[in-house]
Amino acid sequence: QALQGAVNHVLEQIDTRGAGVPIVVFNPLSWVRSDVARAQAPLPRGAFHVAAPDGTVVPSQRVGKNEFLFEAYDLPPLGYAVYRLMPGAAAPREAGLLKVSRKALENDCLRVRLDADGQFTSVYDKVEGRETVPAGERANILELFDDRPGANDAWDIDHNFEALGWMPGPAESVEVIEQGPVRAVVRVLRHTEHSTFVQDITMYALLPRLEVEMRADWHEKHALLKVAFPVDILSSRATYHIQYAAIERSTHSNTELDFARFEVPAHHWADLSEGGYGVSLLNDCKYGYDVKGHTLRLSLLRAPVDPDPHADEGEHRFAYALFPHAGDWRNGKIGR
């Protein structure tokens, strides 16, 4: 309520006069930003287009009855821009490359290959001319582990959690569910005996990262779910985002201190970089990572039974993304 009230107050001060339906796009970040905006408005039955403040038509895509995506460019820091939803077709500014099939996705920055289970057999960085998945390995691997801490069932993860692990069953389906000028999506459906996982592997024409939007109908007991990304990077240190800062942790367990840091609490990202190249694993709402050797992993879900025997059961929605970049996390502007 407070946020909506503040937004409405700002909107009252903005001049939105003009043709079409005005769409005010806010940039709450303190730097210039180009990104994909999602909006809801009554859409015409036929064609429509979206115009930028200077009148340029930008790539747009219908994703629901009254929901659409469009590319927003050079939004001012801590500011806004007024776009316009217009009826009728119009040629947009040149759109970026975007290809999709059940086995591959590609834009101007990345070329990704998928196996029959929706795992990444290749993530090729076209800008830097470098493969990020080690030869013979797979990324975007869902891993489950028997999770029975010796104490504090709902709070602890023990150092030996990897002693017993398994994976969901093979993919029941892999299908292209969206294909347009702004976004392409491949949906993967997998099950365990008790739970269901739907992964929407998403690529945007404008963005140099590969996203996975995931829905989980979670009904495990004493289980820990992680997603793993082996990357072709060799480094003894990984970097993690924390409040107002970043910290480093070892990628090995050579000392007792390193051994004790098998799980790292962090916020929006973890990064593994060597010399002039690195890969970041981003997420929107999860807080546990580990990086061992050359593998980045994110903790997604747990299933404790004490004090609540049904803790975290039910539907979950979250997203994570793989972002290859030149240099280390600073050069890659991961903080942005």
Side-chain angles (χ1 to χ4, degrees):
Q1 264 183 326
L3 176 61
Q4 191 59 53
V7 169
N8 290 340
H9 177 72
V10 174
L11 287 173
E12 291 172 358
Q13 318 306 315
I14 298 174
D15 183 1
T16 58
R17 291 173 297 177
V21 177
I23 307 293
V24 180
V25 183
F26 289 97
N27 177 17
L29 305 178
S30 57
W31 50 83
V32 175
R33 177 184 182 188
S34 296
D35 213 324
V36 174
R38 179 193 294 264
Q40 289 184 326
L43 293 175
R45 292 184 179 181
F48 69 91
H49 64 277
V50 176
D54 63 0
T56 304
V57 177
V58 300
S60 60
Q61 179 175 334
R62 186 192 300 260
V63 294
K65 181 180 179 180
N66 287 310
E67 189 171 7
F68 59 102
L69 306 173
F70 61 94
E71 295 181 354
Y73 303 96
D74 299 326
L75 296 171
L78 300 174
Y80 64 89
V82 180
Y83 285 70
R84 297 192 174 277
L85 174 64
M86 308 287 286
R93 61 181 288 177
E94 184 177 356
L97 171 71
L98 188 58
K99 296 181 180 179
V100 63
S101 72
R102 294 174 60 250
K103 298 181 178 180
L105 301 99
E106 183 176 0
N107 63 11
D108 288 326
C109 301
L110 299 173
R111 183 169 62 244
V112 180
R113 306 295 182 195
L114 309 177
D115 68 8
D117 292 323
Q119 299 171 141
F120 308 158
T121 60
S122 171
V123 179
Y124 184 74
D125 184 341
K126 296 167 64 176
V127 176
E128 298 299 320
R130 177 158 175 165
E131 175 61 55
T132 64
V133 178
E137 298 196 51
R138 301 287 189 273
N140 191 37
I141 303 171
L142 292 179
E143 301 177 333
L144 292 118
F145 301 98
D146 192 52
D147 182 26
R148 301 175 187 269
N152 306 314
D153 192 41
W155 288 269
D156 288 356
I157 298 175
D158 280 359
H159 66 89
N160 60 348
F161 74 89
E162 292 180 281
L164 178 60
W166 67 100
M167 296 175 64
E172 295 188 17
S173 62
V174 179
E175 57 181 337
V176 177
I177 64 165
E178 280 188 34
Q179 183 173 5
V182 178
R183 180 174 77 175
V185 182
V186 175
R187 176 167 291 173
V188 181
L189 173 63
R190 301 181 72 178
H191 284 93
T192 66
E193 183 179 356
H194 306 290
S195 302
T196 301
F197 306 111
V198 178
Q199 293 181 304
D200 286 350
I201 301 169
T202 305
M203 179 172 280
Y204 295 90
L206 181 64
L207 305 178
R209 63 178 182 261
L210 182 65
E211 297 186 5
V212 179
E213 298 180 8
M214 186 164 168
R215 299 194 308 277
D217 188 14
W218 180 248
H219 296 282
E220 305 297 322
K221 300 292 186 184
H222 283 302
L224 167 64
L225 176 67
K226 283 179 172 279
V227 62
F229 291 87
V231 294
D232 192 15
I233 299 292
L234 180 62
S235 177
S236 62
R237 308 285 285 178
T239 307
Y240 302 84
H241 172 236
I242 62 173
Q243 187 180 30
Y244 307 125
I247 56 172
E248 290 187 349
R249 292 289 183 262
S250 297
T251 59
H252 54 76
S253 54
N254 293 347
T255 69
E256 289 186 3
L257 184 59
D258 294 329
F259 180 80
R261 291 169 167 174
F262 56 88
E263 183 85 358
V264 181
H267 286 178
H268 293 154
W269 53 265
D271 181 81
L272 189 62
S273 296
E274 61 175 24
Y277 197 76
V279 179
S280 293
L281 178 56
L282 321 174
N283 91 93
D284 68 343
C285 63
K286 299 299 176 181
Y287 299 97
Y289 294 86
D290 72 87
V291 180
K292 294 185 177 180
H294 66 289
T295 300
L296 289 149
R297 291 197 301 194
L298 176 65
S299 296
L300 301 177
L301 292 168
R302 295 185 67 230
V305 298
D306 181 38
D308 181 358
H310 302 289
D312 292 342
E313 288 188 16
E315 184 172 341
H316 297 259
R317 292 173 177 261
F318 47 86
Y320 52 87
L322 196 68
F323 177 41
H325 57 82
D328 64 7
W329 65 272
R330 298 175 182 85
N331 300 115
K333 298 181 179 179
I334 306 306
R336 293 190 174 187

